[in-house]
Amino acid sequence: MSHSPTHYQVLLPTGALALTIERSDCPLDDIMGFAARDNAKRGFLFLSKVLGKHWPVRPAAMTAIHARLAAAVPPLAGPVVFIAMAETAIGLGQGVFEAWLRLHPDQPALFLHSSRYRVGDTDIVEFEEAHSHAPRQFLHLPPADAERQLLLTAKALVLVDDEASTGNTFINLAHACRALNPAIGHVHLATITNFMGDDATAALSARCGVPVTLASPVSGHYQFTAGQFSASGAPAQRFDADAERGASGRFGRHGLRRALRAPAALAARLANDIAPDNSVLVLGTGEFMHAPYLLGAALEQLGVNVMVQSSTRSPILTWGAVATRLAFADNYGEGVANYLYNVRRGQYQHVLICHETPANAALRQLAQLLDARLFYFQSETQIDEVS
């Protein structure tokens, strides 16, 4: 554990980043690297190495960060609502929620994740992530009475994201939730890194209007000076409230009061066909992240050499912590480019693509690109391999 400040000066293709680490519970290189966004709003990325998004991660490492963040949640009056931020932190937030449930099995709680896709005709709460390449996102109000009641009677919020840099998105979401439920009296932020700095962190409670706590394994502050880089300007969001994107409400958008079940039978069947020296990539797609992680964790428990990762709509340059970049069509049908980083064709003997949308041309293109198999998750227990 480090408590003495460490300074980094990083020259990116998009500008200059000065980062000071004030506290770290582990070596920084084990947690994150530096990358450059193809984004006019923010030209840098603190790229997590334990998130399972832009970097392949062993399921056990993801499980460990889930448990660490869950253990750091302070005692809270219930019900407690956990919200994971789309798209990057959806899997992280759901993992933290499930780890917290194991510590507090008798406390009423609800998990939701924000989304950029409308599912069904349930009401939505909209908020903005201003620096994002795709800033517009929202929460679905749970259509089921029990889940909706938990949201409307919650006494505390736990908001989960991979990093905190300004706190603005957290504040926007907290205000939206408190407008819906004024009884919320405490907000806790669970992040892998907190780079807001001490003053901004201390100001969160005043900005939110209720006590705010924050826990992260790594904290510090940064300054970014933009360079002359010109972003490509490719659109990352074409939201149509009436469009059906094939996204599911079963895995977190409509609310969950329990942990998802791991696909143990599928893992056992797959493990029988994987040689001991073979490597496996379980690949989630876009916002569909946690169920693939559970499959990866189940395979790992059976002795399989497995990594977990997900595709993303975030455009990042091939520099720094991003060695390779694959671009392909969006399986949700918005017509925006999707990407996969740090994965090469032939790198793994087996690639298992997990998706919540029906099989379509975009998914088949990705499967062909990676010589992969497709698995359509219609529910926790109904998982069909697409021929």
Side-chain angles (χ1 to χ4, degrees), residues 279 281 326 343-351 368-372:
S279 60
L281 176 66
L326 297 174
V343 173
R344 302 182 310 277
R345 180 183 173 90
Q347 182 176 348
Y348 300 91
Q349 278 76 38
H350 304 271
V351 178
Q368 185 174 20
L369 188 66
L370 296 173
D371 192 22

Side-chain angles (χ1 to χ4, degrees), residues 187-229:
V187 176
H188 178 75
L189 310 183
T191 64
I192 300 171
T193 58
N194 169 25
F195 295 142
M196 290 191 292
D198 291 341
D199 291 344
T201 300
L204 286 170
S205 295
R207 293 179 64 192
C208 193
V210 296
V212 176
T213 51
L214 188 152
S216 63
V218 180
S219 61
H221 60 274
Y222 75 93
Q223 182 175 357
F224 180 71
T225 304
Q228 297 300 310
F229 174 78

